[in-house]
């Protein structure tokens, strides 16, 4: 399927000598299908894992390995490719490559060309857990982060060597999403929704690691329902709570699937965590429901912080309405939390109840109706609570009937307590 954010982009794919090199065949194929131009550069050792012919066939372009090849496609090939690239991703990135890149060594085509790159660079380390945790590899990755290189978080699971742990190369679809996120962020620049705060690059450390290897699906913002071509029904949700949840979850080691509607803010990205956040924009409640249901199985935790419109216009107008008066017939939208609750299996589901007046009775009812594990109840009429504010005053309502009233706190603080509670249960 063609993807507008990748169409026409020149993506250089660096492949190094790791066992996960086979996954990159699918990555190249997905990039090609998305309308991107994929240019594969392999190290000598990568050629022992996958034949260059495979990449040549999938990308439709020659594969480059040798800086001193006799018939270069461009005159000074490594410079030409560096100038042409919109983004480079090195996946899998071996410990060897990471060490060379961090130290400015340029002894083959990949390491030479990457030093000439001015475009965004993504590196997806993949290796045995002990190698990944080695001080030298960690230090090299930190050096790269500090220079603005985006490091894709390796996945946790069974490794090729038979060990269990962190170090797996993410799936090709995840890498494509990381590329899209990175390109979007580069386009938005510093004034965009994504703020890459360079002063924080080296200081990025996890707050905790209790969500390591876990995936948290978060919904955020309000949805919009078309009235006609230019008007919609919406609500005051700002997306601040969802963004705070995503930031907190990522800082605790989670991978986040972020399904968001109309928002004023996005999770703050930094080089250590932005690529752990898979962004799925939606417009209407039906679109949000479809995205949630499609991604539910990949999640360990589901947190529904969005405010989806409960009703939609039965027949939105195709053109701009100009009549003196207007009567709209609204029909009920799907109940996303209830549908997710019915299919959640062993996953934990947290929902929000934004009410006017005492929110607890409504929260208890919602909790049961939607088969949720925790409901965050808040009275949006109280000062310091509700839509658009940086703080909230909430009561957690649990399935066993317990309540936990909380004082006013920032949405980020509330996000961390919510993650504590759903993790504990
Ligand atoms: C079967 C096999 C699998 C390997 N898998 C990895 C790996 O997943 N990650 C890694 O960093 N090195 C791995 N290595 C070691 C690298 O291939 C080796 O460090 C090599 O020098 C990397 O060269 P390159 O970075 O130039 O491609 C593996 C080696 C072998 C023989």
């Amino acid at each position: 399927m063609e993807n507008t954010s990748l169409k026409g982009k020149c993506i250089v794919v660096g492949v190094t000598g790791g066992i996960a090199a086979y996954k990159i065949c699918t990555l190249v194929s997905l990039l090609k299908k998305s309308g991107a131009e994929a240019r594969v550069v392999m190290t000598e050792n990568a050629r022992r894992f996958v034949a260059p012919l495979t990449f040549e066939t999938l990308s439709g372009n020659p594969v480059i390995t040798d800086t001193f090849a006799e018939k270069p496609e461009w005159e000074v090939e490594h410079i030409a490719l560096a100038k042409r690239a919109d983004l480079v991703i090195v996946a899998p990135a071996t410990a060897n490559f990471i060490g060379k890149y961090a130290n400015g060594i340029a002894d083959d085509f990949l390491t030479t060309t990457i030093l000439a790159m001015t475009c965004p660079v993504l590196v997806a380390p993949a290796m045995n857990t002990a190698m990944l945790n080695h001080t030298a590899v960690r230090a090299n990755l930190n050096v790269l982060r500090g220079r603005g290189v985006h490091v894709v978080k390796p996945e946790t699971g069974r490794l090729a060597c038979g060990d269990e742990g962190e170090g797996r190369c993410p799936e090709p679809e995840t890498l494509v999403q990381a590329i899209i996120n990175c390109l979007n962020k580069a386009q938005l620049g510093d004034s965009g929704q994504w703020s890459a705060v360079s002063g924080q690059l080296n200081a990025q450390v996890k707050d905790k690691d209790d969500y390591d290897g876990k995936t948290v699906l978060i919904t955020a913002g309000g949805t919009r329902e078309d009235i006609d071509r230019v008007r919609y029904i919406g609500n005051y949700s700002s997306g601040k709570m969802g963004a705070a949840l995503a930031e907190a979850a990522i800082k605790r080691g989670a991978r986040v699937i972020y399904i968001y509607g109309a928002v004023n803010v996005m999770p703050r990205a930094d080089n250590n965590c932005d690529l752990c956040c898979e962004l799925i924009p939606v417009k209407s409640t039906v679109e949000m429901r479809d995205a949630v249901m499609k991604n539910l199985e990949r999640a360990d935790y589901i947190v529904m912080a969005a405010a989806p419109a409960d009703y939609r216009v039965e027949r939105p107008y195709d053109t701009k309405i100009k009549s003196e008066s207007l009567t709209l017939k609204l029909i009920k939208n799907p109940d996303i939390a209830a549908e997710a609750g019915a299919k959640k299996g062993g996953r934990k589901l947290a929902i929000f109840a934004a009410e006017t007046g005492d929110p607890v009775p409504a929260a208890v009812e919602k909790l049961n109706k939607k088969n949720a594990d925790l409901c965050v109840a808040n009275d949006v009429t109280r000062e310091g609570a509700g839509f658009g504010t940086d703080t909230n005053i909430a009561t957690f309502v649990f399935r066993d009937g317990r309540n936990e009233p909380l004082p006013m706190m920032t949405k980020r603080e509330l996000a961390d307590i919510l993650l504590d509670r759903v993790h504990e249960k």
Side-chain angles (χ1 to χ4, degrees):
M1 206 180 66
E2 217 167 68
N3 185 306
T4 46
S5 45
L6 286 175
K7 196 163 179 234
K9 299 283 182 206
C10 176
I11 310 293
V12 172
V13 182
V15 186
T16 67
I19 196 73
Y22 74 93
K23 287 189 178 179
I24 309 310
C25 300
T26 310
L27 171 68
V28 169
S29 170
L30 290 173
L31 289 173
K32 190 82 196 301
K33 279 189 199 142
S34 301
E37 174 192 350
R39 295 269 168 183
V40 179
V41 176
M42 299 178 83
T43 62
E44 252 334 305
N45 288 324
R47 297 166 76 105
R48 293 166 172 261
F49 291 84
V50 178
L53 183 60
T54 308
F55 285 121
E56 288 185 347
T57 311
L58 293 171
S59 68
N61 287 309
V63 165
I64 319 168
T65 300
D66 185 0
T67 318
F68 303 101
E70 278 185 8
K71 285 183 189 155
E73 203 183 333
W74 293 289
E75 214 163 296
V76 185
E77 209 171 2
H78 61 276
I79 303 294
L81 189 59
K83 281 187 182 156
R84 191 175 162 78
D86 292 296
L87 179 143
V88 58
I89 177 166
V90 180
T94 55
N96 179 55
F97 166 80
I98 291 162
K100 287 202 283 185
Y101 187 24
N103 288 286
I105 294 169
D107 66 350
D108 62 7
F109 190 87
L110 178 61
T111 48
T112 305
T113 200
I114 208 162
L115 291 187
M117 298 274 181
T118 52
C119 64
V121 179
L122 277 166
V123 166
M127 64 198 72
N128 165 274
T129 312
M131 284 174 83
L132 184 67
N133 286 333
H134 194 284
T135 323
V137 176
R138 291 269 169 212
N140 287 333
L141 285 170
N142 276 336
V143 166
L144 293 180
R145 287 188 184 104
R147 291 183 189 147
V149 171
H150 303 272
V151 177
V152 184
K153 187 174 159 54
E155 288 185 350
T156 302
R158 194 174 161 76
L159 305 172
C161 57
D163 290 357
E164 287 275 338
E166 195 180 11
R168 278 170 61 91
C169 183
E171 293 308 308
E173 291 76 10
T174 308
L175 295 176
V176 170
Q177 191 59 49
I179 291 170
I180 293 170
N181 288 357
C182 199
L183 284 170
N184 287 345
K185 187 173 139 184
Q187 273 161 17
L188 283 168
D190 284 347
S191 58
Q193 287 174 306
W194 289 94
S195 50
V197 186
S198 52
Q200 292 186 343
L201 297 181
N202 276 326
Q204 284 308 319
V205 283
K206 279 192 239 169
D207 288 347
K208 283 190 194 177
D209 55 11
D210 53 348
Y211 275 78
D212 260 356
K214 301 290 181 203
T215 300
V216 185
L217 186 155
I218 297 170
T219 66
T223 58
R224 290 178 173 177
E225 303 297 343
D226 284 349
I227 296 174
D228 64 11
R229 279 294 169 104
V230 295
R231 304 179 183 92
Y232 60 82
I233 297 173
N235 60 56
Y236 291 112
S237 174
S238 63
K240 281 188 179 173
M241 191 64 232
L245 281 158
E247 286 166 12
I250 290 165
K251 290 286 267 179
R252 292 165 72 152
R255 197 172 279 282
V256 168
I257 303 171
Y258 196 67
I259 300 173
Y260 65 102
V263 292
N264 298 337
V265 292
M266 287 291 279
R268 234 173 45 124
D270 57 52
N271 267 37
N272 211 25
C273 76
D274 56 345
L275 301 168
C276 303
C277 193
E278 192 177 323
L279 300 174
I280 306 179
V282 295
K283 190 175 84 174
S284 65
T285 295
V286 169
E287 279 181 25
M288 185 173 274
R289 187 268 315 266
D290 292 348
V292 167
M293 298 317 284
K294 189 171 161 207
N295 290 286
L296 190 86
E297 290 213 339
R298 294 199 287 137
D300 301 291
Y301 298 88
I302 306 152
V303 186
M304 303 234 152
D310 296 310
Y311 299 93
R312 68 177 181 279
V313 178
E314 188 179 36
R315 273 192 212 88
Y317 288 72
D318 258 352
T319 50
K320 185 176 170 187
I321 305 167
K322 294 201 168 132
S323 56
E324 283 299 312
S325 67
L326 180 63
T327 305
L328 295 172
K329 182 172 178 199
L330 302 183
I331 55 170
K332 199 94 176 100
N333 258 331
D335 184 334
I336 305 175
E339 286 191 32
K343 292 252 168 69
K344 78 181 175 85
R347 297 169 188 84
K348 298 282 170 55
L349 171 63
I351 59 173
F352 281 70
E355 303 293 334
T356 47
D358 179 8
V360 173
V364 173
E365 198 188 317
K366 258 185 136 174
L367 197 66
N368 292 317
K369 205 167 133 200
K370 295 167 203 271
N371 192 27
D373 299 278
L374 164 66
C375 183
V376 184
N378 66 299
D379 174 358
V380 293
T381 60
R382 290 181 72 181
E383 193 152 328
F387 296 133
T389 55
D390 290 323
T391 55
N392 208 344
I393 310 164
T395 299
F396 286 169
V397 180
F398 299 95
R399 227 13 216 280
D400 58 11
R402 276 181 307 124
N403 287 352
E404 183 183 358
L406 297 165
M408 189 196 296
M409 61 181 71
T410 64
K411 287 186 171 169
R412 177 57 197 275
E413 285 165 337
L414 184 66
D416 265 312
I417 301 178
L418 185 150
L419 293 174
D420 286 344
R421 297 296 176 268
V422 288
H423 193 60
E424 278 161 18
K425 280 187 86 263

